[in-house]
C-alpha cells in the first residue's frame, strides 16, 4: 500500500541525518523522506548552493518523483523552513498537487529580514552562531568539527541572507503549523505573523528550549505526534 510522504528539509549546516530517528515516531501510514542538501552526507561532492533559487530547484528535483496523488506534507527547520515555503510555489509552478500541510520550525515569516552575518570573519561568524544554541557552541569550539562545518554554514547563511521575498504571491492553499522555541531569537509575535500566509488553518506550538530544539528526542517525538494527528485528517 502506498503511503503519504513527509519530506523533511534540514537547517543551515545540517544534514538529512538529523531526521533519522523520526522513523520510530511516524505513523505507519506515512513514509519519512529526509532531504539531503548539496555538499553534505552522500552528496558531499555536490557543490554548495550559490543562490536560494538553486537550493529550491535542487530539492524539487530530488522529491519530484515522490510527489503522488496521495496527501503529503513538507517539514523544514530554520533555513529549511524557508525552503519549504518556497518549495510550495515551485511544486505548483511545475503542475503538481500542492502539499496537504506545511510544517515550519524555528523560522520567521519571509517578509521579516534576518541579520546578515555570512560576510563576517570566521571568528565573528562563530560568535554569532553560538548565540543560537549550546549545541552549536560545543561543535564550533571543537576545532576539527569547526573546520568541517564552518564553510558549509557560511555558504548556507549566504544563500539564506540573499533570499528575496515576493510579496505579490497568493496565500498558501494548505494549513500551516509552526513550531518554535521559547529561548530562540524569534518572538511569539513574529511567529504569529505566519497566520497571514495561509487561506486555511494556522497553528503554532512552543517548546521550552533553544533554536535547535528538534535535536532532542522528547521534542521530536512531540512534533511527530502533532504531524501524525494533522496528516491523519487528510
Amino acid at each position: 500500500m502506498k503511503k503519504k510522504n513527509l519530506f523533511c528539509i534540514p537547517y543551515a549546516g545540517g544534514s538529512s541525518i538529523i531526521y533519522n530517528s523520526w522513523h520510530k515516531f511516524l505513523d505507519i501510514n506515512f513514509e519519512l523522506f529526509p532531504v539531503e542538501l548539496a555538499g553534505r552526507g552522500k552528496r558531499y561532492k555536490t557543490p554548495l548552493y550559490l543562490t536560494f533559487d538553486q537550493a529550491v530547484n535542487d530539492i524539487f528535483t530530488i522529491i519530484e518523483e515522490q510527489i503522488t496523488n496521495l496527501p503529503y506534507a513538507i517539514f523544514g527547520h530554520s533555513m529549511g523552513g524557508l525552503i519549504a515555503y518556497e518549495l510550495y510555489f515551485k511544486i505548483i509552478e511545475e503542475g503538481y498537487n500542492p502539499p496537504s500541510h506545511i510544517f515550519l520550525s524555528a523560522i520567521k515569516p519571509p517578509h521579516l529580514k534576518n541579520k546578515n552575518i555570512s560576510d563576517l570573519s570566521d571568528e565573528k561568524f562563530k560568535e554569532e552562531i553560538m548565540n543560537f544554541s549550546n549545541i552549536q557552541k560545543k561543535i564550533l569550539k571543537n576545532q576539527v568539527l569547526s573546520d568541517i562545518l564552518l564553510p558549509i554554514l557560511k555558504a548556507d547563511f549566504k544563500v539564506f541572507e540573499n533570499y528575496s521575498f515576493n510579496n505579490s504571491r497568493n496565500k498558501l492553499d494548505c494549513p500551516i503549523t509552526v513550531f518554535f522555541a521559547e529561548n530562540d531569537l524569534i518572538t511569539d509575535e513574529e511567529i504569529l505573523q505566519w497566520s497571514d500566509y495561509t487561506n486555511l488553518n494556522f497553528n503554532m506550538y512552543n517548546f521550552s528550549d533553544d533554536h535547535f530544539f528538534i535535536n532532542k528526542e522528547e521534542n521530536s517525538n512531540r512534533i511527530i505526534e502533532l504531524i501524525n494527528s494533522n496528516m491523519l485528517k487528510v
Side-chain angles (χ1 to χ4, degrees):
M1 183 180 72
K2 288 187 176 181
K3 298 183 178 183
K4 303 173 183 178
N5 284 323
L6 173 64
F7 301 106
C8 295
I9 306 170
Y11 43 76
S15 167
S16 64
I17 196 172
I18 64 174
Y19 296 115
N20 282 358
S21 66
W22 287 27
H23 288 279
K24 59 186 175 184
F25 303 128
L26 199 60
D27 186 272
I28 60 171
N29 293 299
F30 305 134
E31 188 75 36
L32 184 68
F33 198 108
V35 175
E36 192 66 272
L37 303 178
R40 61 215 83 187
K42 293 180 180 179
R43 305 185 68 204
Y44 74 96
K45 291 184 178 180
T46 306
L48 295 167
Y49 305 121
L50 298 177
T51 67
F52 201 88
D53 285 346
Q54 187 182 17
V56 172
N57 292 336
D58 177 60
I59 293 169
F60 171 76
T61 301
I62 292 170
I63 73 169
E64 182 178 10
E65 291 185 359
Q66 307 300 324
I67 299 175
T68 68
N69 290 327
L70 290 175
Y72 68 93
I74 304 173
F75 175 94
H77 185 85
S78 197
M79 182 184 80
L82 189 58
I83 292 174
Y85 169 76
E86 285 295 326
L87 192 58
Y88 174 95
F89 296 102
K90 176 66 177 177
I91 289 168
I92 299 296
E93 179 186 308
E94 296 293 334
Y96 289 89
N97 291 330
S100 301
H101 208 116
I102 295 283
F103 296 95
L104 306 173
S105 180
I107 182 68
K108 294 179 182 180
H111 69 278
L112 300 176
K113 288 294 291 180
N114 290 282
K115 183 178 179 181
N116 288 359
I117 62 173
S118 63
D119 288 331
L120 295 174
S121 68
D122 287 355
E123 288 308 310
K124 290 290 185 182
F125 179 79
K126 284 198 285 187
E127 287 176 15
E128 291 286 344
I129 293 298
M130 283 190 246
N131 290 328
F132 284 97
S133 166
N134 288 327
I135 294 174
Q136 294 297 88
K137 286 181 183 178
K138 291 178 182 178
I139 293 173
L140 292 174
K141 284 183 177 180
N142 181 308
Q143 193 59 50
V144 174
L145 294 177
S146 178
D147 289 345
I148 295 170
L149 182 61
L150 197 59
I152 299 173
L153 264 175
K154 291 195 88 169
D156 283 355
F157 266 79
K158 188 75 171 180
V159 166
F160 188 38
E161 292 163 3
N162 287 339
Y163 168 78
S164 179
F165 174 56
N166 181 351
N167 62 4
S168 65
R169 285 176 169 155
N170 295 327
K171 294 183 179 183
L172 273 60
D173 285 320
C174 74
I176 295 177
T177 294
V178 183
F179 308 108
F180 66 104
E182 294 175 357
N183 299 321
D184 202 347
L185 302 177
I186 306 170
T187 67
D188 296 17
E189 291 75 19
E190 288 172 330
I191 293 296
L192 187 58
Q193 291 180 57
W194 273 112
S195 62
D196 294 329
Y197 281 76
T198 178
N199 289 315
L200 299 177
N201 295 336
F202 169 79
N203 289 292
M204 52 191 284
Y205 300 94
N206 68 332
F207 291 76
S208 301
D209 216 308
D210 62 27
H211 186 74
F212 290 99
F213 61 92
I214 67 166
N215 289 333
K216 291 185 180 177
E217 185 167 293
E218 63 268 28
N219 294 334
S220 56
N221 188 2
R222 182 182 170 208
I223 290 169
I224 289 294
E225 285 178 354
L226 291 165
I227 291 175
N228 285 337
S229 63
N230 278 282
M231 287 302 292
L232 284 170
K233 299 172 185 175
V234 296

